[in-house]
Amino acid sequence: MKLINDLFEVVSTTQHDDSYQCQVRFNPEHRIYKAHFPGNPITPGVCLMQMGEELLEQKYGKLLQLTVVKTIRFKKIVGPNDTPTYTFTKEVLDQDTLTVDIIVSDEEDEAVKMSLQYKVLDEA
């Protein structure tokens, strides 16, 4: 199940020399927030990871499959009313493998830091 244009939408994208950034906005009425957690909704970590994958798929026009989670650190809760920025750094595309570091942050702090590796599949 794709989360893009359902749980979240892309507000803006920016390409820098050493990074790629996407700001996103959540759908606070999404059914995920009714279950995780009622009365105190937060965005599940697995959704934050999936969102990163979908943003990369959009950038590269390729389907990706997560193969390795090198590191992941959750530092701050990401809520349904937040508009976090995904910053992709250290992107290395080698044959059929994409390795990337991802930082999910708000205006003040980093919320999540991930170092992930994907297998590059067919065209999206």
Side-chain angles (χ1 to χ4, degrees), residues 45-46 48-53 56 65-73 86 88-92 97-103 112-119:
V46 69
L48 295 170
M49 290 174 63
Q50 176 68 27
M51 290 169 61
E53 181 175 314
L56 287 167
Q65 179 181 18
L66 181 64
T67 55
V68 177
V69 176
K70 292 181 176 185
T71 59
I72 186 163
R73 289 190 180 97
Y86 276 72
F88 301 90
T89 62
K90 299 183 184 173
E91 290 180 53
V92 178
T97 302
L98 173 63
T99 304
V100 63
D101 288 350
I102 305 170
I103 298 170
V112 183
K113 286 181 80 168
M114 301 178 256
S115 183
L116 308 172
Q117 189 173 52
Y118 300 93
K119 180 177 181 180

Side-chain angles (χ1 to χ4, degrees), residues 5 9 30 38 70 108 114:
N5 298 322
E9 65 179 343
H30 195 275
K70 292 181 176 185
E108 300 170 8
M114 301 178 256

Side-chain angles (χ1 to χ4, degrees), residues 62-89:
K62 304 262 187 197
L63 293 175
L64 301 174
Q65 179 181 18
L66 181 64
T67 55
V68 177
V69 176
K70 292 181 176 185
T71 59
I72 186 163
R73 289 190 180 97
F74 296 96
K75 300 177 167 188
K76 184 177 176 181
I77 291 174
V78 179
N81 295 311
D82 294 336
T83 53
T85 298
Y86 276 72
T87 302
F88 301 90
T89 62

